[in-house]
Amino acid sequence: MFVGCGLLALAFFAARSAAPAKWREELPDSVRPYFETAPLAALALGLSSGFPYAMIGATLTSRLAQEGITKSTITAFTLAILVYNLKWLWAWVVDGVRIPVLSKLGQRVSWLIVSAVLVMAAVTNLALTPPDAANIMPMVIAAVLVGIAGATYDIVIDGYRIEILEPRQLGVGSGMSQYGWRIGSAGAGALALVIAARMGWEAAYIACGLFALPAAIAGIIVGEPKRHREPAERKGFAQVAKSIWGPFAQFFTREGALVVLLFILVHKLGDTLSQLTVRLLFDDLGFSNDEIAFYDVGLGFFALMIGVFVGGALYAKIGMKRSVLIALVLMAVSNFSFAGLAAIGHSNLAMAGAMGFENFASGLGGVVVVAYFSALTDLRYTAAQYALISAAASIVGRFITGTTAGSMIESMGYVNFYIFTGVIALPGVAIFWWMMRTGLVDKSIGNAGTEGEGDARAEGQPG
């Protein structure tokens, strides 16, 4: 692994030294922002952020199914993914606890290195834990450990990403991070399947551990963020306690904080419900695995990538507020496309349209909404505050999906269910529109969106 790290670092420096001194200036204006140092680093951060989720998601499901583990047993592994919604509980550690020796490299860089090692160790442990239907608990524990390590890496990565990006780069940087996450998740999943077919699941998981390296390498090359702000020195129990609740207290002292939190909780409710149940729709409409793979995974992936690019460009052109509002409207409307697909029935053209539109909207929204959430943080508590925001953004939808979505589909039917998901997305649109009209969006922005080059509150960037 260390050899791979060294080779990647050497390749980076070789390419940079071989390139013309002003090579970025020769690029078209529309793509030049994507090749600045911070957005490129955000791409590397996304690569490492996406792969642990894949290791305990679809990839682990495939491994267990091939080992003959029953479906009812496999559902126990949802605990590993649930960990990601609880990461805010220990995010304060990443902001405030210094790592001996390595802290000389900086708070964020030292935690990137340690978290990368923890993820690789956890993935290796999962690789070497044999699935046993008679005693599945060791495998469950190993998967949960990957979830904890991956969630911790997410905390560090999000904090580092927000701090290396200037306010003017939040849209493009969020887009590059989204690209990296999708590529890392899909790439690790595909690599695992290919290697498992030839060398076994143990080798597959160990090889995928290399995906933890890009973020750590980016941290070492780019260095500690200039925008990072150290919290006040903490000594004694009272100061430690303050370090835990301090990030949350700071957020909730802002004007309209409860309204902002309400928006965070509900803005993606309809989208989450539709995304987590759409495979049930495909199965009941009789789509084959090949059709699902082509239209959902293949066409959907490219539509999402286009949406990510458009989202970054839109953020730069018209500013954060209007681009977020447009994204929210598109994500709400995309839910109605599944109602149309359910009404039409088995139609490849309708499936292509629904999946293309939904993934485009998700890609666009993933960029501009993440940029807004990043701008909400305080530079002293970026890791802890973003962990809270990102967890809150998905927890309600996942809870409803896991407890009532199936019964709702059975009682309402698919057409009415997806109309319902579109309708419940509208309050998020209305809340954000009201926040724009009253100036609450600007008032809620933390200094991560204002300190440095540009201002997240601006109506758009020139050029």
Side-chain angles (χ1 to χ4, degrees), residues 98-354:
R98 293 182 177 275
I99 297 173
V101 182
L102 286 176
S103 61
K104 294 179 181 179
L105 297 173
Q107 180 74 358
R108 295 294 184 226
V109 174
S110 61
W111 268 101
L112 279 172
I113 295 171
V114 169
S115 298
V117 172
L118 289 176
V119 168
M120 288 189 286
V123 170
T124 301
N125 178 60
L126 182 60
L128 300 178
T129 302
D132 184 358
N135 183 21
I136 200 65
M137 190 51 63
M139 179 62 78
V140 173
I141 294 173
V144 170
L145 289 175
V146 173
I148 293 173
T152 302
Y153 209 7
D154 254 12
I155 295 168
V156 185
I157 285 172
D158 286 331
Y160 187 76
R161 171 182 57 79
I162 293 169
E163 291 171 3
I164 62 172
L165 295 169
E166 300 288 347
R168 67 175 179 83
Q169 297 174 315
L170 285 175
V172 169
S174 297
M176 293 294 274
S177 179
Q178 290 287 311
Y179 276 133
W181 197 98
R182 296 289 175 171
I183 294 170
S185 177
L191 179 65
L193 291 173
V194 170
I195 295 179
R198 292 159 177 79
M199 302 174 63
W201 282 106
E202 294 82 0
Y205 268 76
I206 292 173
C208 286
L210 293 172
F211 277 84
L213 294 176
I217 295 173
I220 293 171
I221 294 174
V222 177
E224 189 71 1
K226 295 179 180 179
R227 298 210 305 157
H228 179 63
R229 302 289 182 269
E230 293 286 350
E233 188 70 22
R234 294 156 183 157
K235 297 179 181 178
F237 178 79
Q239 283 70 30
V240 171
K242 185 177 179 180
S243 71
I244 298 173
W245 59 260
F248 311 119
Q250 192 280 333
F251 179 85
F252 285 109
T253 56
R254 303 179 197 177
E255 183 178 348
L258 291 178
V259 176
V260 175
L261 179 61
L262 178 62
F263 167 73
I264 293 170
L265 289 170
V266 305
H267 84 283
K268 204 176 179 183
L269 182 55
D271 203 46
T272 301
L273 277 173
S274 65
Q275 287 181 1
L276 293 179
T277 56
V278 71
R279 287 293 179 93
L280 297 175
L281 172 65
F282 296 160
D283 288 338
D284 285 348
L285 291 181
F287 286 102
S288 67
N289 287 341
D290 287 343
E291 289 172 327
I292 294 173
F294 181 80
Y295 292 106
D296 185 5
V297 181
L299 177 65
F301 178 81
F302 284 107
L304 185 137
M305 294 295 102
I306 294 171
V308 167
F309 181 82
V310 172
L314 197 64
Y315 181 97
K317 188 69 176 177
I318 66 174
M320 177 191 69
K321 290 172 285 191
R322 287 185 289 173
S323 60
V324 169
L325 185 62
I326 290 172
L328 293 173
V329 172
L330 288 176
M331 288 191 291
V333 173
S334 71
N335 293 325
F336 294 110
S337 67
F338 290 117
L341 175 60
I344 293 171
H346 190 137
S347 166
N348 288 342
L349 182 61
M351 186 181 189

Side-chain angles (χ1 to χ4, degrees), residues 37-53:
T37 299
L40 286 174
L43 176 67
L45 296 173
L47 284 169
S48 295
S49 178
F51 101 92
Y53 197 88

Side-chain angles (χ1 to χ4, degrees), residues 14-27:
R16 188 170 66 173
S17 61
K22 297 183 179 180
W23 64 274
R24 289 189 180 91
E25 296 179 6
E26 300 175 3
L27 296 172

Side-chain angles (χ1 to χ4, degrees), residues 21-74:
K22 297 183 179 180
W23 64 274
R24 289 189 180 91
E25 296 179 6
E26 300 175 3
L27 296 172
D29 292 342
S30 59
V31 300
R32 189 182 304 153
Y34 289 88
F35 288 89
E36 294 177 348
T37 299
L40 286 174
L43 176 67
L45 296 173
L47 284 169
S48 295
S49 178
F51 101 92
Y53 197 88
M55 293 295 95
I56 57 176
T59 303
L60 184 58
T61 300
S62 297
R63 179 186 182 186
L64 295 174
Q66 292 177 15
E67 295 286 349
I69 307 300
T70 63
K71 292 181 180 178
S72 59
T73 302
I74 292 175

